[in-house]
């Protein structure tokens, strides 16, 4: 597997930044918080560090004119019932997705990012859309996946695409189709626009996280591993939301530096997950996948903030973890193995490109 440590682009710049104080990544920022205390300050002090308005381009706010989302809706954390419903759907649909591949492409390696789409989309829809019919959930799940696909070229474009460009129009159309489908559903979490945002966040990120989990376990095939430890270790080494951005609303002090109003400040769970103070085990081995390190209970898994922190922390974290733990259990009993070298796709969060794997137990033509 390609390692984050040898990656170029923004990932390389963040990982090679000095790990003290707040660091300017360019002449005039963005600024990078490099300690857990600074990261917490940025994520919890929403009066001074606000959400950028254009979240679709988070991490690259070079075109930002300083608009923030102050005063917008906070999402309620999922209830235990919602989590139970979501993970039950995932547990039912994941083997179906694997079996469909065995039918359609026997002997071909599985593609994690593809296989996970429907089980994750339906799992999140079932968790959130209590009052929707089966058919509505199917329509909405397909609509979210179509919107996520249409958003990809908007996010990964080197420069923000123009308002009337083809990619913007396709994205708008997909978003409107989804919002129309959501408008038919009773008891939505918020308006159709807000529900669409929540569903997209709750589907795109777990698909990438699940794919990374299979990639890590597939490159350590004989691992007799505790599923929760494998899930945490995956979220430590390759958190899909590896960087998040805030804009300062006023002049503010951070880590001894004075930042002007309108500065972009970045927090990176991926960087924090490589700090020896937060992670047990040999400080020289922190770039390696070692789920057993979490048997040492002197450090709390998640202290590197793979689900964020503060009022905008992930409301779906319990469902995300439950799905990953389920998938890790499946991967170890089926002896997942990587079939191809994995590269790191940084175009939109972090995703494995591709994660093609086989299983030694149970999979049709996949041996
Ligand atoms: C392993 C799976 C997941 C990971 C690693 C993850 C990670 C994150 C992170 C890091 C944030 C904070 C981003 C920021 O501060 O800018 C976030 C926010 C969010 N997540 Fe998740 N997430 C996961 C699963 C889910 C699920 C299952 C749902 C919904 C059911 C969900 C819904 C959301 C929403 C709506 C937000 C935005 C919160 C806000 O803006 O106030 N996530 N997630």
């Amino acid at each position: 597997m390609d390692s984050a440590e040898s990656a170029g682009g923004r990932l390389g710049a963040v990982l090679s930044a000095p790990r003290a104080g707040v660091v300017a990544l360019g002449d005039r920022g963005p600024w990078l918080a490099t300690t857990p205390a600074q990261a917490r300050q940025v994520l919890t002090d929403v009066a001074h560090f606000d959400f950028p308005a254009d979240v679709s381009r988070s991490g690259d706010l070079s075109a930002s004119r300083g608009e923030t989302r102050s005063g917008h809706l906070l999402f309620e954390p999922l209830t235990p019932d919602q989590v139970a419903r979501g993970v039950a759907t995932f547990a039912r649909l994941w083997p179906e997705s694997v079996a469909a591949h065995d039918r359609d492409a026997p002997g071909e390696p599985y593609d994690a990012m593809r296989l996970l789409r429907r089980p994750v989309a339906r799992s999140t829809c079932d968790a959130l859309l209590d009052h929707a019919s089966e058919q509505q959930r199917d329509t909405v799940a397909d609509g979210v996946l179509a919107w996520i696909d249409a958003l990809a070229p908007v996010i990964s474009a080197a420069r923000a695409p123009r308002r009337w460009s083809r990619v913007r129009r396709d994205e708008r159309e997909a978003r409107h189709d989804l919002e129309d489908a959501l408008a038919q559903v009773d008891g939505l979490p918020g308006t159709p626009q807000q529900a669409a945002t929540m569903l997209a966040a709750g589907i795109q990120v777990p698909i990438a996280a699940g794919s990374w989990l299979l990639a890590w376990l597939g490159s350590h095939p004989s691992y007799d591993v505790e599923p929760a430890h494998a899930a945490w270790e995956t979220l430590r080494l390759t958190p899909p939301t590896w960087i998040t951005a805030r804009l300062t609303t006023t002049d503010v002090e951070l880590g001894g530096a004075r930042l002007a109003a309108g500065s972009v400040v970045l927090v990176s769970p991926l960087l924090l997950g490589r700090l020896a103070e937060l992670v047990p085990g040999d400080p020289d081995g922190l770039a390696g996948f070692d789920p057993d390190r979490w048997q040492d209970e002197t450090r709390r898994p998640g202290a590197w903030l793979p689900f964020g922190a503060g009022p905008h922390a992930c409301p779906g974290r319990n469902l995300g973890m439950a799905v990953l733990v389920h998938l890790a259990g499946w991967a170890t009993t089926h002896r997942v193995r990587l079939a191809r070298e994995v590269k790191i796709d940084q175009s939109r969060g972090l995703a494995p490109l591709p994660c093609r794997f086989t299983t030694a137990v149970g999979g049709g033509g996949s041996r």
Side-chain angles (χ1 to χ4, degrees):
M1 281 223 315
D2 258 8
S3 81
E5 273 60 24
S6 58
R10 177 156 276 188
L11 182 51
V14 165
L15 274 181
S16 57
R19 297 182 189 183
V22 57
V23 175
L25 293 181
D27 286 347
R28 290 187 293 145
W31 299 87
L32 176 68
T34 60
T35 69
Q38 288 164 17
R40 282 201 174 273
Q41 183 184 341
V42 172
L43 296 181
T44 55
D45 178 1
V46 285
H48 293 104
F49 300 91
D50 201 2
F51 237 88
D54 186 0
V55 280
S56 70
R57 296 187 60 77
S58 121
D60 174 11
L61 296 172
S62 44
S64 168
R65 291 187 308 263
E67 305 99 327
T68 69
R69 281 164 68 202
S70 334
H72 67 280
L73 174 98
L74 290 180
F75 296 100
E76 287 293 317
L78 266 61
T79 63
D81 274 359
Q82 289 180 308
V83 172
R85 221 172 30 236
V87 78
T89 298
F90 183 82
R92 181 167 54 83
L93 294 186
W94 172 250
E96 282 184 17
S97 194
V98 172
H101 173 97
D102 289 340
R103 242 184 357 257
D104 298 344
E108 293 289 317
Y110 303 103
D111 178 340
M113 293 283 285
R114 264 166 182 268
L115 234 55
L116 281 162
R117 282 166 66 92
R118 187 171 153 70
V120 169
R122 271 305 303 263
S123 148
T124 301
C125 285
D126 282 9
L128 291 176
L129 306 178
D130 310 25
H131 302 289
S133 66
E134 281 288 302
Q135 203 194 345
Q136 284 176 323
R137 290 175 195 187
D138 268 337
T139 308
V140 170
D142 289 346
V144 181
L145 291 170
W147 183 35
I148 289 172
D149 292 345
L151 257 175
V154 177
I155 293 174
S156 61
R159 285 193 187 175
R162 287 175 185 281
R163 194 166 150 69
W164 295 108
S165 61
R166 169 103 231 170
V167 285
R168 282 279 188 198
R169 267 186 299 152
D170 288 352
E171 183 274 324
R172 250 192 323 268
E173 264 175 41
R175 178 160 35 91
H176 290 161
D177 287 350
L178 171 60
E179 287 168 4
D180 289 347
L182 283 165
Q184 314 295 318
V185 174
D186 292 332
L188 280 187
T191 63
Q193 289 81 355
Q194 289 160 341
T197 303
M198 182 157 193
L199 286 162
I203 292 174
Q204 195 242 329
V205 178
I207 291 174
S211 301
W212 279 119
L213 175 72
L214 293 171
W216 284 114
L217 287 170
S219 54
H220 296 74
S222 59
Y223 228 99
D224 175 19
V225 66
E226 167 65 38
H229 293 165
W232 282 122
E233 189 67 347
T234 298
L235 291 176
R236 182 180 77 80
L237 288 171
T238 42
T241 309
W242 73 277
I243 198 151
T244 182
R246 298 291 187 269
L247 285 174
T248 53
T249 53
T250 57
D251 289 3
V252 64
E253 181 153 338
L254 179 69
R258 189 91 200 141
L259 309 189
S263 302
V264 177
V265 186
L266 305 174
V267 169
S268 171
L270 181 133
L271 175 74
L272 299 177
R274 282 155 172 78
L275 297 182
E277 63 189 282
L278 300 184
V279 185
D282 176 3
D284 292 329
L286 297 186
F289 182 74
D290 177 13
D292 286 349
R293 72 172 76 248
W294 297 106
Q295 285 170 4
D296 174 344
E297 293 177 357
T298 57
R299 312 289 209 295
R300 185 175 59 80
W304 61 92
L305 312 178
F307 294 100
H312 293 294
C314 181
R317 59 174 293 158
N318 290 344
L319 175 57
M321 270 309 281
V323 162
L324 290 182
V325 168
H326 181 86
L327 190 60
W330 180 89
T332 45
T333 49
H334 288 75
R335 306 254 183 110
V336 163
R337 286 198 197 133
L338 267 190
R340 286 245 305 263
E341 184 64 16
V342 170
K343 300 228 172 298
I344 300 178
D345 178 2
Q346 305 183 36
S347 61
R348 173 183 206 184
L350 275 197
L353 184 76
C355 170
R356 304 295 300 267
F357 70 92
T358 60
T359 59
V361 178
S366 58
R367 260 151 283 249

